[in-house]
Amino acid sequence: MVPDFYLMHSSPLIDRIDAILPQTQCTKCGYDACRPYAEALAHDNEAINRCPPGGEAGIQALAMLLHKPVIPLDAECGEHQPLRVAVIDEAHCIGCTLCIQACPVDAIVGANKLMHTIIADRCTGCDLCVAPCPVDCIDMVPAGRDWTPARASAARVHHQQRQTRLQARHPEESALAARTLANKASVAGAAQSDAATRQHVIADALARARARRNKGNS
């Protein structure tokens, strides 16, 4: 099922632009996902050089489609890099679910207070899960594979499925970031605190996690 957002913001031009974009849903372009960026390119004269995952090839394809000159990638949006995927240090995961909330393609599985893990084959390398992690247990590592059109197509479907589920749960229109902040656990709130408070809260969380593991092993 295609989310209402896609149905409300659809046109042949948007669809053609969206087909060029890599569907990593990384938000580095400044938009919530690839589709909103495609809409801005189609209707708001947005710059074609704001997609780091797409790189130079993506800029060239957009330039050809939209009849615009090729320009360098906007450095403020990031650098084009080989595909990386997220890896969770499961021994230090405290089960806060914030990475699950942040992942735009449902590539992380787990439950509250239980260990999380990455579905590597589904991960788009967006790295949106890294910042919310209160215990810094997520790293981005080389994927050892290329990001192909088939993977982009699959990522689009996974993102659409996630958006459909979130729309059912949150019928009001809101950005992923806003929903994540609204659902933040207290331990993640420390990310906005001073360094001493942040370290104290994280230390407490780790202590509780170790206590649970020790209790389970006894």
Side-chain angles (χ1 to χ4, degrees):
M1 180 178 179
V2 179
D4 292 343
F5 177 88
Y6 280 75
L7 297 176
M8 293 170 59
H9 302 78
S10 184
S11 74
L13 180 57
I14 294 175
D15 290 342
R16 292 176 69 186
I17 295 171
D18 193 51
I20 292 174
L21 297 178
Q23 304 305 315
T24 55
Q25 319 301 345
C26 65
T27 75
K28 290 180 172 59
C29 60
Y31 293 85
D32 287 339
C34 293
R35 188 74 179 191
Y37 181 40
E39 181 189 1
L41 286 165
H43 298 312
D44 300 331
N45 199 33
E46 181 59 275
I48 63 173
N49 64 337
R50 299 187 58 83
C51 178
E56 183 178 349
I59 293 173
Q60 291 177 348
L62 290 172
M64 181 176 295
L65 174 64
L66 299 174
H67 306 290
K68 293 187 175 185
V70 174
I71 54 178
L73 178 66
D74 188 339
E76 292 187 359
C77 297
E79 299 179 356
H80 178 69
Q81 299 179 346
L83 179 64
R84 299 184 301 165
V85 295
V87 174
I88 295 177
D89 183 349
E90 296 173 353
H92 291 92
C93 175
I94 60 174
C96 70
T97 79
L98 291 178
C99 60
I100 294 176
Q101 295 175 50
C103 180
V105 293
D106 290 334
I108 307 176
V109 293
N112 187 38
K113 298 182 180 180
L114 296 176
M115 181 189 72
H116 304 342
T117 193
I118 306 289
I119 305 173
D121 198 50
R122 182 178 285 211
C123 180
T124 69
C126 70
D127 79 20
L128 288 173
C129 60
V130 175
C133 178
V135 291
D136 295 328
C137 72
I138 304 178
D139 291 318
M140 302 301 298
V141 302
R145 54 178 167 80
D146 293 329
W147 188 248
T148 64
R151 293 185 184 279
S153 179
R156 181 188 293 107
V157 171
H158 296 152
H159 182 63
Q160 289 177 349
Q161 292 171 339
R162 177 178 174 80
Q163 292 301 98
T164 297
R165 187 178 73 254
L166 291 177
Q167 282 182 357
R169 189 177 302 169
H170 302 271
E172 72 285 357
E173 188 172 339
S174 58
L176 171 63
R179 286 194 297 273
T180 300
L181 287 173
N183 293 331
K184 264 192 171 183
S186 57
V187 66
Q192 307 300 324
S193 306
D194 60 90
T197 301
R198 183 166 60 250
Q199 291 302 319
H200 176 72
V201 173
I202 291 173
D204 284 349
L206 285 172
R208 290 194 298 271
R210 292 191 189 99
R212 287 198 300 271
R213 287 197 295 269
N214 291 336
K215 184 176 180 180
N217 294 332
S218 60

